[in-house]
Amino acid sequence: MTTFLTLLRRTAVAMGAIAALTVTSEANAQAGTINLSNGSSCQYTSLTVDPTGAVNVTCDTGTPPPTSPGTFSLLANVASINTGTQTTTAFQVRRVGGTAGEVVVSYTATGSGGGCTAVDSGTLTFPALSAATQNIRVLAGATSGDCTVTITVADPGLSGTLSTLTKTVPVTAPIAGCPASDVTVRSLGGSGNANGTLLLASGAIASYALPKTTKNSGIFKLSETTSTFPMAPWYYEVHISKCKGLVEETAGDGCYIKSGNQRLLSKIWMVNPTATYPSKAVMDTRGICYTPGASTATITGEQYYINIRYTYASCSTLSVCGWVPQWTVWTYN
């Protein structure tokens, strides 16, 4: 063990007053540990001695601490909330881009009609170095309306500068006459985007939230895949309905289709009548689903569901079969 009584040049971290240092390797460019006479130490990655006898040390300080408190976003994760429902997952707050310092996010929950109220204390605390997503728990009112959550963030890096974000989710009463369903509602994503393969056991049902679009119509498609195509006899059913998980064959209903032809895997819906399709009766004759009250904006309007059921004898390769679901805006606007 070699001891040097000389000058330490601090190239990575300050070490305080130094009377002596001890190194656990030779005075060259190898890695080692420096033990100081004041009891502190550091792992170094470079140690050299110049002609004047001074020791030059580069300490490995590890990952530098974050310098930014980050930015915060408010997410609405559901298409709607049922009246009288207490939910934890409808609204979430996320922290990205930095975790320096503790940040307190204040929030409120209000709304029109039945609205909603915040269940917890009204603040979320993000500790220093934590970017874990946190939930806002709300209780929907007894009648239909809107639930609006607002968060206010004081940025500690900007001397208390406030940032405010707002998200609104409709509060809707359960649809009378709809059967109880434990089917999980899925999202189709953006227009024109493939959404992975929907694999279902024979007889099982999946539900997608009818997409919200600024256009008057859309088309839902199931695209076949060679690896998961079913073996005959097989057929699929698609039913657009206000009832989640409902697949019910009704003669002449433009919202329902049943087929064993892989070239007929599509269903069109329309929000408002047009000159060419002035009524539900006309739409039904053309196999178009009339969805009055469905939203043509991004947040308001009634929620409809695209319910899907496969029935088949067996699959070509996997244990369950499926198609790739996607949607796009359509021409009837």
Side-chain angles (χ1 to χ4, degrees):
M1 182 173 293
T2 307
T3 302
F4 296 89
L5 300 176
T6 183
L7 169 68
L8 174 67
R9 293 181 178 172
R10 298 164 294 172
T11 61
V13 296
M15 295 182 175
I18 302 172
L21 60 85
T22 302
V23 295
T24 58
S25 67
E26 297 299 324
N28 54 30
Q30 299 176 9
T33 301
I34 297 175
N35 300 306
L36 306 178
S37 60
N38 64 2
S40 62
S41 65
C42 98
Q43 296 287 326
Y44 69 89
T45 57
S46 174
L47 189 154
T48 60
V49 180
D50 66 23
T52 66
V55 178
N56 304 301
V57 177
T58 299
C59 287
D60 181 7
T61 60
T63 303
T67 58
S68 168
T71 58
F72 293 79
S73 59
L74 174 63
L75 287 80
N77 295 322
V78 296
S80 63
I81 304 172
N82 283 343
T83 54
T85 298
Q86 181 174 290
T87 174
T88 298
T89 58
F91 298 92
Q92 291 183 325
V93 180
R94 295 184 182 176
R95 182 184 198 178
V96 297
T99 57
E102 179 181 285
V103 179
V104 176
V105 176
S106 301
Y107 66 87
T108 59
T110 58
S112 62
C116 62
T117 56
V119 176
D120 296 318
S121 63
T123 60
L124 301 173
T125 299
F126 287 79
L129 305 182
S130 174
T133 298
Q134 297 197 41
N135 298 317
I136 295 176
R137 194 155 55 111
V138 299
L139 175 62
T143 58
S144 298
D146 290 321
C147 177
T148 299
V149 168
T150 301
I151 65 170
T152 302
V153 184
D155 188 338
L158 296 175
S159 302
T161 299
L162 298 181
S163 175
T164 300
L165 298 172
T166 298
K167 290 289 183 181
T168 299
V169 169
V171 176
T172 58
I175 303 300
C178 288
S181 174
D182 59 358
V183 173
T184 300
V185 178
R186 309 169 187 234
S187 172
L188 279 170
S191 174
N193 296 330
N195 198 36
T197 302
L198 174 63
L199 298 174
L200 290 175
S202 179
I205 295 175
S207 286
Y208 287 92
L210 188 77
K212 298 180 185 301
T213 169
T214 57
K215 302 298 183 180
N216 185 47
S217 61
I219 182 170
F220 170 77
K221 298 180 180 180
L222 286 169
S223 303
E224 63 179 292
T225 64
T226 56
S227 61
T228 62
F229 198 76
M231 304 297 289
W234 71 269
Y235 62 89
Y236 74 93
E237 297 165 275
V238 175
H239 190 181
I240 299 178
S241 172
K242 288 184 180 181
C243 297
K244 178 184 70 171
L246 177 67
V247 177
E248 185 175 62
E249 185 171 0
T250 305
D253 184 2
C255 294
Y256 174 87
I257 185 172
K258 176 181 178 179
S259 177
N261 184 341
Q262 62 266 36
R263 296 182 180 180
L264 296 177
L265 300 170
S266 64
K267 175 55 63 180
I268 299 170
W269 75 87
M270 292 183 65
V271 177
N272 299 299
T274 65
T276 305
Y277 302 96
S279 66
K280 180 182 186 307
V282 174
M283 295 181 198
D284 284 342
T285 62
R286 297 296 299 271
I288 296 173
C289 180
Y290 182 36
T291 58
S295 178
T296 55
T298 57
I299 197 66
T300 59
E302 295 186 70
Q303 183 62 60
Y304 285 76
Y305 302 94
I306 301 173
N307 303 313
I308 305 165
R309 178 167 61 200
Y310 305 152
T311 302
Y312 53 84
S314 62
C315 290
S316 56
T317 54
L318 303 179
S319 59
V320 289
C321 298
W323 290 264
V324 177
Q326 62 185 127
W327 75 282
T328 186
V329 293
W330 199 236
T331 55
Y332 308 126
N333 297 317

